[in-house]
Amino acid sequence: MKTANLTLVVEDDEITSFLIQKTLSKSNVFKEILSFENGQPALVYLQEALAQLKPIPDLILLDINMPIMDGWELLDALQELHFPNHIPVVMLTSSINEEDRRKAKTYKNVQGYFTKPLTEKYVEELVKLLH
């Protein structure tokens, strides 16, 4: 069975972040889940992971609309860092805007686009993305 030793949740709403963690934890696939309130602390963590100071995540769940550093800005920063393309990023957002869906497809790491809330069906899709 596939497992994700580390999953990053980048979500500014505390309640939504808590619900995402609870939903992922129910599956027994997602072992450790780290949550970040926007892209900036997530970027710092990922820079440290690339420097081999912290574990590299198996999956990143990323909201779009957040203060300080939004999801698009984080994705742009990851491209500049040459972040490994095999680590899936899934957009988990309230945006139903078709332009956002199209934009997400332009990023190599983005392998999914789900609208909130995170459902068990979405969790099944996330498991399929794990390497």
Side-chain angles (χ1 to χ4, degrees), residues 35-122:
S35 188
F36 299 93
E37 61 191 21
N38 66 68
Q40 192 171 43
L43 178 60
V44 170
Y45 178 92
L46 293 167
Q47 288 169 326
E48 291 174 353
L50 288 175
Q52 300 180 341
L53 301 173
K54 297 200 174 167
I56 290 184
D58 298 298
L59 175 69
I60 301 170
L61 295 179
L62 180 60
D63 189 15
I64 293 175
N65 298 310
M66 296 176 288
I68 304 172
M69 179 184 269
D70 69 21
W72 303 127
E73 292 168 320
L74 179 58
L75 287 169
D76 290 340
L78 292 180
Q79 281 187 325
E80 288 178 28
L81 286 175
H82 303 290
F83 195 73
N85 288 332
H86 70 277
I87 298 168
V89 175
V90 174
M91 308 306 287
L92 181 60
T93 179
S94 57
S95 174
I96 56 171
N97 185 331
E98 197 55 44
E99 183 56 37
D100 285 340
R101 285 184 184 275
R102 277 195 291 278
K103 185 174 181 178
K105 289 179 182 177
T106 67
Y107 292 91
K108 290 180 181 160
N109 284 84
V110 175
Q111 296 183 22
Y113 189 103
F114 300 156
T115 52
K116 294 176 190 172
L118 181 66
T119 63
E120 292 192 20
K121 180 180 181 288
Y122 287 157

